[in-house]
Amino acid sequence: MKTYIVGNWKLNFTVGEASIYLHKLLRKIPNYRDVEVVVAPSTIALQPLSLQIDRHKMKLCAQNAFYRDYGAFTGETSFSQLRGMVDYVIIGHSERRYILGENDKMIAKKVAAAVRNRVRPILCIGETESERAFGETADVIRDQLTGGLSEVADDDIEKIVIAYEPVWAISSVKGAKLASPDEIGEVVKLIRRVLTDIYGAKLAEKVPVLFGGSVNASNAGAYLMIPGVNGLLVGGASLILSEFADIIEVAKKVSQ
Ligand code: 13P
């Protein structure tokens, strides 16, 4: 399996800044066949960046889209509008769950809409600090995973990427802590077990599982060495060109 390095730019960069960043990144990194580099700019930058990107080197990812293809949904962008423009979409990010009020039902519809429109979903799941403290991590992971995948048929599970992002490890969260490889490894094992329960071992093995939460160039190697981790979802560090390029280099070395 490839190693996935996904940069989630969140609400950062103007279209101009995003374009300059992409230009520099394209020049800086070689074409690594075994590392899938993905960048996720704001929706407004997707169209111009789709014309600029070299798809042999990296792929484009939306940070969100709506589950209906067209209609009276003011302010929304549909997967049918993004179809062909982006390769991936982040769905169920904790910032959308807890700040924008998305629930598992909406997330499931978005995953289905993405698959229907040939955009590969990166389904984010992860417990909050208090859920972990109360021993609820396994239940939360199981619920978010089964909920988010409830509309995904066996034939389509290979198209899904799962990202485990413990909310308490996201750098922008107050009092964020670094997740330890053991803590991550345990949840990643559980994710694989839940996928196996639903889809069988053979299909479950094909689903890439990424880790996200305060990843930087110094800790990327350790996180990528965790058994079952197939890549990283990077927030803050992906906004710094040299740091993101270094993470890609680490992934290249680890995947050799
Ligand atoms: P940080 O890497 O800034 O912790 O963000 C993680 C994240 O939310 C990526 O989606």
Side-chain angles (χ1 to χ4, degrees), residues 6-10 90 93-95 124 163 165 169-173 176 212-216 233-238:
V6 184
N8 178 8
W9 296 352
K10 306 190 181 183
I90 296 169
H93 194 283
S94 56
E95 285 146 21
C124 298
E165 289 207 323
I170 295 178
S171 66
S172 52
V173 170
S214 302
V215 171
N216 58 38
L233 179 51
V234 188
S238 75

Side-chain angles (χ1 to χ4, degrees), residues 28-30 32 244-254:
K28 201 168 168 68
I29 63 159
Y32 289 141
F244 192 57
D246 285 350
I247 294 171
I248 295 165
E249 286 301 320
V250 170
K252 172 64 190 163
K253 285 203 188 95
V254 171

